[in-house]
């Protein structure tokens, strides 16, 4: 039984307090001096921001149990008290729901997968609600309040309104997801695009820590991209951003579901690869695994399909770094399974298209399982909780 | 005769002070309450930031002379004292140098043009120095100190290091411009990419005022782009950013000077248009004006060249808004002279490539003469002076 409302008073979060919290979350334990240096805030502003966060117990002094006490005058490092609150993060794919229970440090405590029986809201939403209630029961075992729920869905998602405007994989249009799930669960709900949510997790805990400008490119059923510029995830004035999949790189390229031609997604996403493999081989290939097997067995036509896909991805990454001069591009997604077949195309096309010093960008791969995407959804719930989504 | 050093002490500028100064510069006069609302700072932080700026006289209370006093309790609006300091801004093109003397509100007081006799540093730098000394003499007439000099050059410019790394039009490589001109003039010098400098002017005083996400696309001798994301001009981790001209949009397109194929610049910049016009007509056309005349006289081949250029620009703008979800794209540059020939291609290609709600971006044209580019250079000098370049 939960004793307090999940909407219980949160300390008034100023931009400085949110910045301090997320800095300690990513880099802590930190002394106040280190916090000031990393945030660019004055010592007085740091002290003022830390105090209310300590009063409610989100930040505590001292390093984790077991750490050796410092010799001499203690520097009083500050860290996030992971056990002070719990959050639920959910990633909805076309086939399953992945849910995690995460602590205030966004560490995964429990993870659950549920297969979907259908993609329409009427099939997905009851599964989401059932999964949330299951995790709320698990949370009772920790004796800690669940303070928020984040849901990550692919497509055009209006986070501020809590609405999935258009999700091609789910075939959802204008679903007021936050409102529906809030009513069903009683939790504050944050809804965001799945790649943007994963980008928050990478920024806080992954390969983006400490970088003010990076991109996360996800390859698989679709081609997605989360962009961090000036230290913040780009959301776009109208909700669309990071649509690397719909950069058109070839006017004579295949038609895309968006209505344009030669989009990266129409060349390099799984459905496009399967279509091209069927056309090259005349075989009724329907899964990425089958296509991959044909390529690995040495079929030159199939290998060429992957090479073209890699080239499209490399050119798209080149476009991102030419525009934004990103310090790093992280390639992830289930499509990494075929990375050996993409790699040369990506490398060569990136080298050809990156302009001048933009080519110094560090392009790396990083496998991120779906639990990590759900963790990203939990991170968006922590953002909303701590107010760092609004600054 | 200048009585004080241009390097005289500037008040220690905190991030908050810089933010307050630039907010008042763009939107002032503003009351402290309005400043707090626009900046997201607390009232206490605004008061603390305003005080030292008033002590040195950069901000003053009260509206400009001639404004009607408010009825009732005065709200004490704060504004920038335009006459408190002067700055010089210089734009270097392939053909001429444009220089302006601007006040602390970045209003142009004097403008000068000088034709270049050559493009190598040995020809350009003495002209720059002579022009600066001329404007310093003009400044003496105002009885106000020139506090900084901004120089805007096209190409890959490392602002932090003050070095022009590569300027294709000038054929400069690794010219330590800031150091050379500082030595020659005694002024603190800020060197930046010309489109980024113009973008600062648009953000502070032009069509970007009040927008946190917009793009400025310049069309002409080259295709440039300045990007503002989260309220700040994007510079890139390695100095390259906004290279819209080197988005490759057609793998079978013409070769570009960067080594790639099908870059926007290889299709839509003046030299590319002239090449295509010569090829379509067999005539030895060498200037944009001649090409334009042929198009206006109805030559279908030449009109088709402009249509293709417009399409390339429209697709590039589509790429920008798909990645960044910009609220507005401002098209400018000397190429606007041919805008009637570009317009349909830009509109159709943008509509085809913009994904979902990204299409809601407001695409507009705005003529900006070279004085405005020089004003942008002066704005970068004001940024350096007030410390808003480092936050």
């Amino acid at each position: 039984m939960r004793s307090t409302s999940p909407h219980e008073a949160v300390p008034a979060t100023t931009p400085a307090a949110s910045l301090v919290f997320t800095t300690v979350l990513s880099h802590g334990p930190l002394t106040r001096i280190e916090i000031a240096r990393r945030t660019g805030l004055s010592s007085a502003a740091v002290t003022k921001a830390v105090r209310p966060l300590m009063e409610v117990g989100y930040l505590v002094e001292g390093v984790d149990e077991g750490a050796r006490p410092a010799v001499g005058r203690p520097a009083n490092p500050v860290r996030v008290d992971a056990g002070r609150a719990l959050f639920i993060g959910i990633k909805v794919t076309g086939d399953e729901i992945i849910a995690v229970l995460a602590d205030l440090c966004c560490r995964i405590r429990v993870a659950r997968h549920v297969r979907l029986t259908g993609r329409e809201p009427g099939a997905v939403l009851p599964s989401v609600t059932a999964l949330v209630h299951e995790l709320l029961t698990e949370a009772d075992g920790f004796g800690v309040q669940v303070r928020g729920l984040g849901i990550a869905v692919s497509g055009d998602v209006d986070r501020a309104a809590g609405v999935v405007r258009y999700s091609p994989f789910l075939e959802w249009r204008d679903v007021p997801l936050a409102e529906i799930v809030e009513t069903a669960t009683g939790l504050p709900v944050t809804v965001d695009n799945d790649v943007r949510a994963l980008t928050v997790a990478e920024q806080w805990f992954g390969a983006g820590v400490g970088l003010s400008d990076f991109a996360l490119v996800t390859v698989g059923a679709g081609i997605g991209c989360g962009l961090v510029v000036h230290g913040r995830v780009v959301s776009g004035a109208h909700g669309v951003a990071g649509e690397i999949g719909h950069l058109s790189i070839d006017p004579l390229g295949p038609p895309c579901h968006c209505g344009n031609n030669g989009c990266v997604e129409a060349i390099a996403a799984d459905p496009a690869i399967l279509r091209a493999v069927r056309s090259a081989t005349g075989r009724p290939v329907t899964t990425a695994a089958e296509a991959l097997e044909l390529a690995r067995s040495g079929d030159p036509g199939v290998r060429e399909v992957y090479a073209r896909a890699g080239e499209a991805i490399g050119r798209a990454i080149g476009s991102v770094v030419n525009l934004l001069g990103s310090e790093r591009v992280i390639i992830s997604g289930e499509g990494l399974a075929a990375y050996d077949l993409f790699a040369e195309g990506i490398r060569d096309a990136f080298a050809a298209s990156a302009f001048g010093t933009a080519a110094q960008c560090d392009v790396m791969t990083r496998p991120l399982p779906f639990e990590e995407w759900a963790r990203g959804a939990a991170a968006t719930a922590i953002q909303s909780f701590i107010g760092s989504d609004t600054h």
Side-chain angles (χ1 to χ4, degrees), chain A:
Chain A
M1 217 181 86
R2 286 168 298 282
S3 55
T4 54
S5 153
H7 292 278
E8 88 179 27
V10 172
T13 46
T14 60
S18 299
L19 181 59
V20 165
F21 181 86
T22 54
T23 302
V24 175
L25 190 60
S26 291
H27 301 281
L30 291 175
T31 63
R32 287 172 176 78
I33 292 166
E34 288 165 335
I35 297 171
R37 188 177 55 76
R38 284 184 182 273
T39 57
L41 294 169
S42 69
S43 301
V46 169
T47 301
K48 197 176 154 190
V50 165
R51 195 178 304 123
L53 292 169
M54 290 192 63
E55 277 165 10
V56 290
Y58 302 153
L59 295 184
V60 288
E61 280 191 344
V63 293
D64 269 306
E65 319 73 56
R68 196 187 265 263
V71 177
R73 185 161 169 251
N76 283 338
V78 171
R79 64 179 170 84
V80 173
D81 184 0
R84 183 63 180 74
L86 290 169
F87 297 85
I88 296 172
I90 290 182
K91 149 88 171 163
V92 182
T93 75
D95 307 313
E96 59 172 350
I97 304 172
I98 303 93
V100 298
L101 187 65
D103 63 24
L104 187 55
C105 282
C106 211
R107 293 189 297 220
I108 297 174
R109 299 295 188 94
V110 177
R112 292 271 181 282
H113 290 236
V114 172
R115 302 295 302 174
L116 283 174
T117 52
R119 295 183 178 185
E120 63 282 9
V124 175
L125 294 178
S127 296
V128 167
T129 306
L131 207 44
V132 169
H133 282 112
E134 203 179 308
L135 288 175
L136 285 173
T137 305
E138 294 265 5
D140 283 344
F142 291 98
V144 181
Q145 181 76 39
V146 172
R147 303 302 293 264
L149 165 62
I151 308 179
V153 178
S154 72
D156 179 357
V157 177
D158 184 338
R159 175 169 173 163
V163 173
V164 178
R165 284 199 294 228
Y166 177 49
S167 178
F169 295 121
L170 296 170
E171 291 171 33
W172 289 8
R173 276 191 193 275
D174 297 316
V175 176
L177 188 58
E179 192 187 329
I180 294 170
V181 180
E182 269 177 14
T183 305
T185 64
L187 291 171
V189 175
T190 304
V191 178
D192 208 339
N193 169 277
D194 57 349
V195 182
R196 281 207 295 264
L198 183 62
T199 305
V200 174
E202 281 299 282
Q203 185 185 22
W204 284 1
F205 314 108
V209 169
L211 303 182
S212 65
D213 296 275
F214 73 94
L216 170 66
V217 172
T218 59
V219 179
I223 309 287
C225 178
L227 297 168
V228 169
V229 177
H230 299 145
R232 287 173 53 199
V233 177
V234 177
S235 301
H238 306 287
V240 163
E243 285 295 348
I244 194 177
H246 298 285
L247 297 182
S248 169
I249 57 168
D250 184 357
L252 301 175
C256 181
H257 61 85
C258 76
N260 203 2
N261 284 301
C263 291
V264 175
E265 195 154 293
I267 300 169
D270 285 347
I273 289 176
L274 291 176
R275 212 161 24 236
V277 167
R278 284 193 294 269
S279 156
T281 61
R283 297 193 196 197
V285 177
T286 56
T287 69
E290 289 171 78
L292 214 48
E293 205 181 302
L294 281 174
R296 296 251 165 78
S297 73
D299 185 309
V302 177
R303 293 185 73 86
E304 177 59 25
V305 168
Y306 281 96
R308 275 202 303 270
E311 192 203 328
I313 296 165
R315 292 182 64 200
I317 292 173
S319 295
V320 169
V321 303
N322 284 350
L323 287 178
L324 297 173
S326 314
E327 192 166 349
R328 174 173 286 167
V329 173
I330 305 156
I331 306 175
S332 192
E334 68 275 21
L336 277 195
Y339 194 74
D340 56 318
L341 300 163
F342 290 141
E344 194 180 330
I346 292 180
R347 197 177 51 235
D348 292 352
F350 173 73
S353 54
F355 182 75
T357 53
Q360 292 173 20
C361 173
D362 168 32
V363 180
M364 62 176 283
T365 59
R366 190 166 135 83
L368 294 164
F370 279 132
E371 282 82 2
E372 206 61 31
W373 295 62
R375 188 189 188 204
T380 66
I382 295 178
Q383 280 188 321
S384 299
F385 178 67
I386 210 72
S388 75
D389 54 330
T390 53
H391 317 303

